[in-house]
Amino acid sequence: MPDAVRALAVALRPRAGGAVSVVEHPFPVGALVPPHLHTREDEYSIVTEGEIGFRSGDREAVLGPGGYITKPRGEMHTMWNAGPVPARMIEIISPAGFEHFFRELSEMLADGPPPTEDTVPILAAKYGLEFGRPAWLPDVVSRFDLTPPPGA
């Protein structure tokens, strides 16, 4: 995720009483977010530019601008740029707090050498994020000509 998908977070915690945060994700061509699940948050993704593919549980969809999908906590999911041009989406995360994961990850990447293999999983665990290697991942990578995430 570090080079492929960068996040710009707008935390609404003070204004919304911690109910939600909003994160914008740009997706370069070929980008794929490593499959993962959240143990603490539900996510609502809205495509604003380009085409983004989503796999959440058994559901798969490719959505264009205005399309949206829910990704409930505890459900393995991934997102990818499904088109030939850069794409972008807005994500509403409830409750707020997970936006700090993106801030910490960005700082970790900006501070010097690439993180060690253990660093990102330790950060992820702090925020209740669990990575997975679902059986369907190679098929998604192949069908959409994606850059697989590290370790996949």
Side-chain angles (χ1 to χ4, degrees):
M1 178 167 41
D3 292 330
V5 180
R6 297 179 194 268
L8 304 170
V10 178
L12 300 179
R13 180 181 296 260
R15 293 185 199 134
V20 298
S21 62
V22 178
V23 179
E24 179 182 39
H25 295 287
F27 282 74
V29 174
L32 170 69
V33 173
H36 62 280
L37 64 82
H38 300 266
T39 61
R40 303 174 189 163
E41 305 87 16
D42 299 309
E43 295 180 307
Y44 310 88
S45 300
I46 305 161
V47 177
T48 58
E49 295 176 25
E51 293 182 317
I52 298 178
F54 297 90
R55 174 80 189 232
S56 189
D58 292 334
R59 300 171 296 139
E60 183 177 309
V62 173
L63 304 173
Y68 63 91
I69 190 168
T70 60
K71 297 172 295 192
R73 71 189 75 190
E75 188 168 86
M76 184 67 61
H77 61 275
T78 189
M79 296 83 63
W80 62 90
N81 184 328
V85 298
R88 185 174 299 273
M89 74 176 195
I90 298 289
E91 200 154 55
I92 300 166
I93 305 169
S94 178
F98 190 71
E99 70 279 3
H100 299 297
F101 169 81
F102 296 114
R103 179 184 47 77
E104 288 192 43
L105 181 61
S106 295
E107 290 171 359
M108 179 188 306
L109 296 171
D111 285 344
T116 64
E117 195 171 302
D118 297 342
T119 309
V120 174
I122 290 169
L123 178 63
K126 176 180 173 180
Y127 288 98
L129 180 68
E130 298 175 8
F131 293 104
R133 289 187 176 162
W136 44 259
L137 182 60
D139 177 59
V140 169
V141 169
S142 174
R143 282 187 291 127
F144 292 93
D145 194 27
L146 302 171
T147 303

